[in-house]
Amino acid sequence: MNKPIRVLYVDDSPLDRALVHDALMLEHTEFSLTVATSCAEFEVCLSSGDYDLILSDCNILGYEGLQVLDTVRAIAAHIPVVIVTGTGSEEIAVECMKRGAADYVIKSPRHIQRLPLTIHAVLERKRLQDEHKFTYHALQASEQRFRSLIENSSDAIALFTTDGTVLYASPATTRILGYELSEFVGRSVFDFVHPDDHEMVMSRLHEVVQKPDAMIKVSAYFRHKDDSWRFLEGIFNNLLDDPSVGAIVNNYRDLTDARHYQEQLEYQANHDTLTGLSNRNLLHDRLSQAIVYAQRYQRLVVVAFIDLDNFKIINDSLGHNVGDQLLKMVAARLTESMRKGDTVARHGGDEFVLILNDQESMETITYVMRKILDIVSLLFLVEGREIYITCSIGFSIYPQDGKDAETLLKNADAAMYRAKENGRDNFQFFTAEMNTKVNERLMLEGTLRQALEHNEFFLNYQPLVDLRSGRIIGVEALIRWRHPQLGIVSPAQFIPLAEETGLIVAIGAWVLKNACTQNKAWQEAGFDPINVAVNLSARQFRQKDLVESIAQILHDTRLEACYLDLELTESMVMHNAEEVISTLQELKSMGVGLSIDDFGTGYSSLSYLKRLPVGRLKIDQSFVRDITEDPDDAVIAQAVISLAHSLNLKVIAEGVETAEQLDFLRAHHCDEMQGYYFSRPVSAELFAELLSNKKTLQRFNYN
C-alpha cells in the first residue's frame, strides 16, 4: 500500500483552507494534511516534522509577500513548495519561481481541481531531480575512477597513418575494445569505426595533418569484438616531427555509459514517464518549431486539446492501475493515427495535446477531429474488462487563433471546455466569444470567493402550501447573491461555479445555519411551527462529517430536527446508492425530514427508491409547466403521484403558476404545492406577514 503524501499546508483563510482540503479529499490518493494558520505555527511544524510537500498561500499572517519561500529555503530547502494563490498574474508566477517555488495553482474551478495533479507532477519532478543528482554523482565517481586508471596505467593510445592504417594500440585500447594487439596493428581504423562515422573520422584525420599543432576532438562509435558498439571520445593530434609520415596519435576514453546516462536524462526531461509521449517541455518546443515553419511557408498549424470524458469514474471505480493502462492504450491509438511529422503529447492527467502540422483546410482538420473521436470511442480491453470511453476535443488554428504557443494552447483548452459543456463526445473550434465568457467566468469566480466574508448572500423564502387545507405548512430557503457590481446574480449562474470550486460546501453550511436560525426566530415570535426545506448539493452530501455538521447546526440554532427538511436531487441519491441509504438513515434517525427534489429528471431505480427513508417526492417544474396542455407531462405527473402514494410518500408540485395547474393537481390528489400562483420567494419579513395574515388558497372550499 502506498504511503500517504505528507503535506504541510499554511493558510490563514478558513474559506481557502476548506477549498484546498476539499480538492485534496476528492483525489483517490491519500494525503496526510498538517495545517498551519500563522508564520509562527508554520515554522514550528517545519522544524519538527518531515513532509513531502508544502502548500502555501502567497500572503500569510506574519509574513510579507512570498517570505514563506525564504523560510522554507532556510529551514528545509529539500521540500518542494506549491503556491496556492487567488491571483493569476504572470508577475506573481515569475516571482514565485524566482523565489524557489516548484509550481503554483490559481484558485479557479479548473485549476484548484487540478491541485492533486500538480502535487503529483511536482513530486514526480523532484523524484526525477533526485535521480538526476544520483546520475550526476555517479558520473563524477566514474570520472574519478577514470583519472585513477590513467594515473596507474598506460593511456588508451592508438597510432595510425593518415589513411587510417593502425601502427600501434596501447593495452588500454585492447582492453576497451576486446581485441588482441595483433588484431589492431596493420588493419584500417575504419574496420572498427561505425560506417555512419567514416566520413567524419576521415575529415578529422586530414584536418590534423594540415594543422600539425591542432588538437581536434573526435567522438565516434567503435566496434567491440563482441559486435556491440562503444562510444569513444578523444583527441586527434599530430605528434610526429615529420608531417609527411602523417602518423596520428588518438588518445581516447570510453564514454558509452556516460552517453547512455545523458540520453536517459534528456529523455526523462522531455517525455511522460507513463505513456512515453512528449511532455509539456517537448510539446512547447515542437509547437514553437511548427509555428516557425508555418509562418515561413504560409501553412496552418492545429493545436488540439483532448480530454477523456468521465475518466475519474474509471479511476475511482476500477483503480489507478486500470486507469494508467487505459491512458497508455489511448496514447498508443493516438500515436498510430497521426502522421510521422505530427506530435502527440500528454499534458497531464487524462489530457492529451496534438500538434498537426502543414494543414491545408478546415475540411481536412474536421476529418481528423472526427477520426480521433471514433478511435477513442472504440472498445478497450483492460485486464479482462471491456471499457468504452469518449473524449471531448477543442482546437485552435495558427495563425487566426494565436501567433504563439501559449495563446494557441490556451485557446484550444477553452474550446475543449466548450465541447464538455455541449454534452461531451464532440469537438469544438475556438471562437473569440469563448475568451469573453472565460474572462467573465473568472471574474465571477474571483468575487464569489469573497461573497461569504463580505455578507453578500441572503435568503428568500417560498411557501409550501397544503392542497387540502390551503394553509402554509412549510417554506423553502433559497439563496440569492447581491453582487457589489452586478446586482442580484441568479443562482443558476453562481451555484455551478460554487460546485466546481468546492465553495458550495461552505455556502451550503451558511444556508443551513441561517435557515434554521430564521425558522427558530419565527417560532419564538409566536408563529405555528413549520418545516424549513434546504437543498443539499452533491459535494455537501459527500462530506464525511455531514451528519455531525447538521447535528451541530441544529444544536447551535436550537431548532428541533423535525422542523428541518433536506432536499436531495434524484441523481444524487442514485449515485452510490448503498452509501447514500446509510447516510439518509442516520439523518432520519435524528428526526430530519428528507425529500427527493426534481423527481422525474433522473434515472431512479424503483428497487432503491422504495428503500430510501424519504418522506416526499417533488415533481420537477418542467412537468408542471405544461401539465394542462401536454398529455405526456400530465401522464408523468399522475404516475409520480400514484407511485409516491403507493410508497406512502407525499407529493409536492413545484412551479405552480396558474389556477388550471392547481385544479389538475388537486383533482389528482397531489398533496402540496409551491409556486408563483401562491407566492414568489420573499424576504423573511414578508414571509412573516404571510404567516401573520394566515394567507391561504381561497380558490377552493376546503371545508
Side-chain angles (χ1 to χ4, degrees), residues 69-279:
L69 294 171
D70 299 332
T71 301
V72 173
R73 189 162 57 243
I75 299 177
H78 64 286
I79 304 177
V81 180
V82 174
I83 296 296
V84 184
T85 174
T87 306
S89 69
E90 289 186 0
E91 292 78 5
I92 288 182
V94 171
E95 183 62 22
C96 287
M97 299 309 177
K98 284 183 178 179
R99 297 283 285 273
D103 209 333
Y104 78 104
V105 176
I106 301 170
K107 296 171 185 173
S108 69
R110 286 189 304 176
H111 294 86
I112 197 64
Q113 293 186 42
R114 294 179 183 175
L115 178 58
L117 293 177
T118 300
I119 290 176
H120 286 302
V122 167
L123 294 179
E124 178 65 11
R125 287 201 301 271
K126 184 176 185 300
R127 184 184 69 79
L128 291 175
Q129 289 169 357
D130 291 341
E131 287 184 1
H132 293 176
K133 289 179 182 178
F134 173 80
T135 303
Y136 174 75
H137 292 309
L139 287 173
Q140 283 190 318
S142 176
E143 292 286 332
Q144 183 62 38
R145 289 193 299 272
F146 173 74
R147 285 193 294 270
S148 175
L149 179 64
I150 292 299
E151 292 170 359
N152 295 282
S153 64
S154 60
D155 291 340
I157 297 175
L159 184 67
F160 40 87
T161 63
T162 54
D163 65 359
T165 301
V166 179
L167 303 176
Y168 168 79
S170 70
T173 307
T174 61
R175 285 197 301 272
I176 291 172
L177 296 179
Y179 299 97
E180 297 294 333
L181 178 61
S182 60
E183 294 177 282
F184 275 117
V185 176
R187 295 180 62 179
S188 171
V189 70
F190 297 105
D191 291 342
F192 306 98
V193 173
H194 193 283
D196 291 347
D197 293 331
H198 280 189
E199 184 176 347
M200 179 271 297
V201 172
M202 180 63 72
S203 173
R204 300 294 188 272
L205 281 172
H206 290 166
E207 186 176 352
V208 77
V209 170
Q210 295 168 3
K211 302 176 181 178
D213 296 330
M215 300 182 66
I216 301 172
K217 184 177 179 180
V218 181
S219 301
Y221 280 99
F222 285 77
R223 184 192 300 277
H224 191 276
K225 192 171 184 178
D226 64 6
D227 283 337
S228 65
W229 293 97
R230 308 297 293 176
F231 184 75
L232 307 182
E233 181 179 277
I235 300 295
F236 279 6
N237 55 350
N238 192 339
L239 300 183
L240 300 181
D241 294 333
D242 185 359
S244 62
V245 177
I248 307 297
V249 171
N250 179 19
N251 185 359
Y252 60 85
R253 54 180 174 166
D254 186 355
L255 293 183
T256 306
D257 292 338
R259 185 174 179 85
H260 172 72
Y261 279 130
Q262 184 63 34
E263 290 173 348
Q264 187 177 34
L265 292 176
E266 290 176 358
Y267 184 86
Q268 290 173 349
N270 291 294
H271 292 81
D272 175 55
T273 55
L274 176 66
T275 63
L277 297 177
S278 303
N279 63 12

Side-chain angles (χ1 to χ4, degrees), residues 567-584:
E567 295 188 355
L568 304 94
T569 63
E570 188 179 2
S571 57
M572 283 169 55
V573 297
M574 286 302 110
H575 178 70
N576 198 1
E578 293 296 338
E579 186 176 331
V580 167
I581 291 171
S582 175
T583 302
L584 294 180

Side-chain angles (χ1 to χ4, degrees), residues 12 138 144 157 174 200 212 227 241 292 375 384 395 449 460 463 526 545 570 601 651 653 685:
D12 54 10
Q144 183 62 38
I157 297 175
T174 61
M200 179 271 297
D227 283 337
D241 294 333
V292 171
I375 64 169
F395 65 89
R449 298 182 183 282
N460 275 345
D545 61 346
E570 188 179 2
T601 61
V651 183
E685 294 76 19

Side-chain angles (χ1 to χ4, degrees), residues 432-674:
E433 174 195 4
M434 292 178 185
N435 269 339
T436 302
K437 291 193 173 182
V438 167
N439 291 333
E440 290 175 353
R441 182 187 180 96
L442 289 174
M443 184 277 290
L444 207 59
E445 289 170 19
T447 52
L448 182 61
R449 298 182 183 282
Q450 287 82 43
L452 265 182
E453 297 176 6
H454 296 168
N455 297 315
E456 295 170 7
F457 291 121
F458 64 95
L459 295 181
N460 275 345
Y461 299 89
Q462 188 170 35
L464 304 176
V465 181
D466 189 310
L467 284 177
R468 292 182 179 85
S469 66
R471 293 184 299 103
I472 297 173
I473 58 169
V475 64
E476 182 176 3
L478 301 167
I479 189 171
R480 299 290 185 265
W481 181 13
R482 186 178 290 106
H483 193 282
Q485 285 83 40
L486 303 177
I488 303 300
V489 180
S490 166
Q493 288 182 269
F494 72 84
I495 291 298
L497 284 180
E499 281 275 8
E500 291 178 17
T501 60
L503 291 170
I504 193 67
V505 176
I507 293 173
W510 180 90
V511 173
L512 263 172
K513 185 172 183 179
N514 281 270
C516 290
T517 299
Q518 183 59 64
N519 199 17
K520 183 64 176 178
W522 286 324
Q523 292 179 11
E524 292 177 344
F527 296 113
D528 292 337
I530 59 173
N531 288 21
V532 62
V534 176
N535 286 284
L536 279 186
S537 73
R539 284 205 178 207
Q540 273 182 285
F541 193 75
R542 289 198 298 266
Q543 294 297 301
K544 293 182 179 179
D545 61 346
L546 173 68
V547 176
E548 292 79 4
S549 64
I550 291 174
Q552 186 63 50
I553 287 173
L554 291 170
H555 176 270
D556 293 343
T557 60
R558 298 181 293 109
L559 182 70
E560 294 180 48
C562 62
Y563 297 121
L564 172 64
D565 282 341
L566 298 177
E567 295 188 355
L568 304 94
T569 63
E570 188 179 2
S571 57
M572 283 169 55
V573 297
M574 286 302 110
H575 178 70
N576 198 1
E578 293 296 338
E579 186 176 331
V580 167
I581 291 171
S582 175
T583 302
L584 294 180
Q585 290 286 8
E586 290 187 67
L587 291 169
K588 183 180 180 181
S589 66
M590 289 169 51
V592 173
L594 301 168
S595 302
I596 303 291
D597 195 10
D598 300 335
F599 191 78
T601 61
Y603 304 92
S604 292
S605 164
L606 294 182
S607 62
Y608 281 118
L609 183 60
K610 69 181 182 180
R611 295 172 55 198
L612 295 175
V614 298
R616 288 179 174 81
L617 297 184
K618 181 178 279 191
I619 304 176
D620 186 71
Q621 61 181 337
S622 62
F623 301 120
V624 175
R625 184 180 302 113
D626 298 321
I627 205 169
T628 59
E629 300 174 3
D630 188 328
D632 292 336
D633 285 349
V635 169
I636 291 173
Q638 293 178 54
V640 172
I641 294 170
S642 177
L643 171 65
H645 287 165
S646 69
L647 296 174
N648 296 318
L649 304 176
K650 289 190 175 182
V651 183
I652 308 172
E654 62 178 347
V656 179
E657 298 182 353
T658 68
E660 290 75 21
Q661 293 168 346
L662 187 66
D663 290 341
F664 178 94
L665 293 167
R666 188 167 184 268
H668 290 87
H669 309 293
C670 184
D671 301 293
E672 301 166 10
M673 61 81 66
Q674 175 183 355

